[in-house]
Amino acid sequence: MLLVDGKIAEGAAATAYGWVQSIREQKTITFVILMENREPLQLVIKDKRLARKVKVHASIMVKGRVAMTERAPRGYEIHVEEISVLNKPRKIPPFDIMAKEEPSIDVRLDYRPVDLRRPSSMAVFKIRARALQLFREYLVNNGFIEVNTPKIIATASEGGSALFPVMYYDRQAFLAQSPQLYKEELTMAFERVFEIGPIFRAEQSRTMKHLSEATSLDVEAAFLSNEEIMDLIEGMVKHVIKGLNSEPQLFAALKAKPPALPERFPRFTYSEIIEKLKGLGEDIAFGDDLTQKSLEEFGNMAGGFYFITEWPAKLKPFYIMPKENGLTSSFDLMYMGLELASGGQRIHDPVMLRKSIKEHGLPVSSFKFHITPYYYGMPPHGGFGLGVDRFIMVLTDRKNIREVVLYPRDLRRLVP
Ligand code: ATP
Ligand code: MG
């Protein structure tokens, strides 16, 4: 909190509250960087007795006068006349927040709020917050309405086994693995919807890109073809990256910058990719999933963002619209070897939907409430789910998803 008498100008009286990030002592004066509302504010203390009260990590209140100077991060500094220490650390911090060397991710997570005082760690979450704002801005400007759907559900939304059971009074329920079915139903009334919320997946392996609780950006729109949905997600990604490119100061502490944007994201069909992989000595039979190794090899060749389209039906969930030859109107958005989003056109005919649920080996009875509205005029629709955490990894050039989630949950970690 910063209170200034009148404008920020030479000699103005100022009061600042914040925490001490660093102290630099010189012969006669002491420079302190006070973090005030997540931004550095330079303090100049000329009285050594006053300076001795200040410790790194302490919360303080200072009163003084503004001095305009190019040498301070904000273009001004505060010449301190009075200091109150509001609270000071009682223990030696687990690591030096200004050290060049990064502590291990496990130590960082064990002391997460302290870790967030490290400039690079704070930068990741400022970028994350800004990216979420830009996603929303793009979608709202394109006629989407933000919705919230339940996270406690009765049956799996996609089939599959990666579900967390929970006790729901005297019954069993599950944590939602995606808002898929709800967002599709909502296109009936709202035409264009999106949700930013948690998805829960009981992932059995420990990887750098899977968590048990992730944040998904789910988008669903009536009347768009598969190609148009790809145009939409491409437009959205470009909007976010261009927005961030215009704020380079957000990236200063990271020694990274947002990924480069091609004129257009290349679109390869699944079949084209397995052909190209043959050229790289990788033999994937039609209908088999692309292995992580092959995705990485292909990703290195493609470089940056690209789409994989027209996946075989057996690799996609029941709600995806089939095409001829066992293919589907579907896509994955990739960045190098990393899957960022899956989407496509959906089945909107109730009879076809029932049939597809059966063919995917799922019990139709569990989907009764989902199929019912389809009999009352469901519009043709499509959409995608984008992993927000994975997208932030790409934006900030972090290799471990745990770095870009405040309190990650994985196979091992349930605290803090
Ligand atoms: P993957 O094959 O990488 O496990 P998926 O195909 O199972 O992903 P989808 O069901 O398509 O995932 O979910 C949409 C998006 O949500 C994914 O593209 C990914 O970005 C993100 N996502 C899915 N599962 C996780 C997870 N466990 N942790 C983090 N992000 C996830
Ligand atoms: Mg997927």
Side-chain angles (χ1 to χ4, degrees), residues 353-367:
L353 186 61
R354 248 175 147 261
K355 191 164 148 269
S356 183
I357 291 171
K358 270 199 192 142
E359 282 169 2
H360 278 78
L362 297 166
V364 172
S365 58
S366 308
F367 293 90

Side-chain angles (χ1 to χ4, degrees), residues 57 61 63 79 155 201 237 254 257-258 261 281-282 307 332 344 357 376 403:
H57 282 296
M61 186 271 275
K63 286 183 185 294
H79 287 229
T155 47
R201 303 202 177 182
V237 166
L254 276 184
K257 55 177 200 258
L261 284 174
E282 192 79 28
F307 289 104
D332 278 7
I357 291 171
Y376 303 99
E403 292 198 53

Side-chain angles (χ1 to χ4, degrees), residues 127 248 250-259 393-398:
I127 292 166
L250 280 175
F251 289 81
L254 276 184
K255 295 185 198 83
K257 55 177 200 258
M393 286 169 74
V394 170
L395 286 180
T396 57
D397 195 25
R398 304 293 103 169

Side-chain angles (χ1 to χ4, degrees), residues 199 201 203 209-211 214 339-342 385 387 390 401:
I199 57 170
R201 303 202 177 182
E203 300 286 356
K209 57 176 184 171
H210 289 97
L211 291 175
E339 178 187 320
L340 295 180
S342 282
R390 290 195 189 171
I401 194 166

Side-chain angles (χ1 to χ4, degrees), residues 296-308:
E296 268 157 29
E297 275 171 18
F298 187 81
N300 288 336
M301 209 162 76
F305 294 103
Y306 61 98
F307 289 104
I308 306 178

Side-chain angles (χ1 to χ4, degrees), residues 32-46:
V32 170
I33 295 294
L34 186 74
M35 290 300 281
E36 184 273 316
N37 222 7
R38 301 180 297 280
E39 297 295 339
L41 173 63
Q42 182 158 293
L43 307 179
V44 178
I45 310 173
K46 290 190 175 135

